């Protein structure tokens, strides 16, 4: 198998305000089979301007590994279940290593 035989895997990143919110969103993503894996990074600090002030808040980053074909449904899930509105949806196409695609394909 060559590198071109493997599907493009998207790494989709978003943040939420608590570990509980991250766990709920991650579970919903997996229940709806829209990612092969969702990683939670607790202990993140987000700094951002908001309404004329610089904010600094705790956050939990979620990184979902999915296929490009799942992106529209994942965006829809975020619209329905994400705790932040508007929310962040950053999708980056990646080249997966050979062990990853079978797991991703089984979503």
């Amino acid at each position: 198998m060559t590198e071109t035989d493997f599907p493009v895997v998207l790494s989709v990143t978003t943040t939420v305000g608590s570990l509980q919110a991250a766990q709920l969103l991650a579970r919903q993503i997996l229940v709806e089979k829209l990612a092969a894996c969702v990683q939670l990074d607790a202990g993140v600090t987000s700094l951002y301007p908001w309404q004329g002030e610089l904010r600094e808040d705790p956050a939990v980053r979620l990184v979902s590994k999915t296929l490009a074909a799942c992106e529209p449904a994942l965006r829809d899930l975020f619209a329905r279940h994400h705790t932040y509105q508007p929310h962040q949806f950053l999708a980056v196409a990646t080249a997966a290593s050979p062990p990853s695609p079978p797991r991703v394909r089984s979503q």
Side-chain angles (χ1 to χ4, degrees):
M1 217 176 235
T2 67
E3 276 188 37
T4 58
D5 295 328
F6 296 110
V8 172
V9 175
L10 294 182
S11 178
V12 177
T13 303
T14 194
T15 56
V16 295
S18 71
L19 183 57
Q20 181 182 8
Q23 291 168 329
L24 288 171
L25 186 57
R27 286 187 179 103
Q28 192 62 42
I29 291 167
L30 295 170
V31 164
E32 294 191 26
K33 299 182 180 181
L34 296 177
C37 174
V38 181
Q39 297 171 324
L40 308 180
D41 297 324
V44 173
T45 301
S46 290
L47 288 91
Y48 56 96
W50 184 255
Q51 299 179 342
E53 294 183 21
L54 181 60
R55 298 286 310 256
E56 185 171 336
D57 293 316
V60 179
R61 180 177 29 242
L62 290 85
V63 180
S64 301
K65 296 172 188 169
T66 190
L67 297 175
C70 295
E71 183 178 354
L74 191 54
R75 285 183 180 276
D76 181 62
L77 181 143
F78 276 32
R80 290 180 285 122
H81 296 284
H82 203 293
T83 56
Y84 292 165
Q85 295 299 334
H87 54 265
Q88 176 190 61
F89 188 103
L90 299 174
V92 177
T94 63
S97 60
S100 296
R103 192 168 15 119
V104 174
R105 281 190 200 122
S106 70
Q107 353 175 20

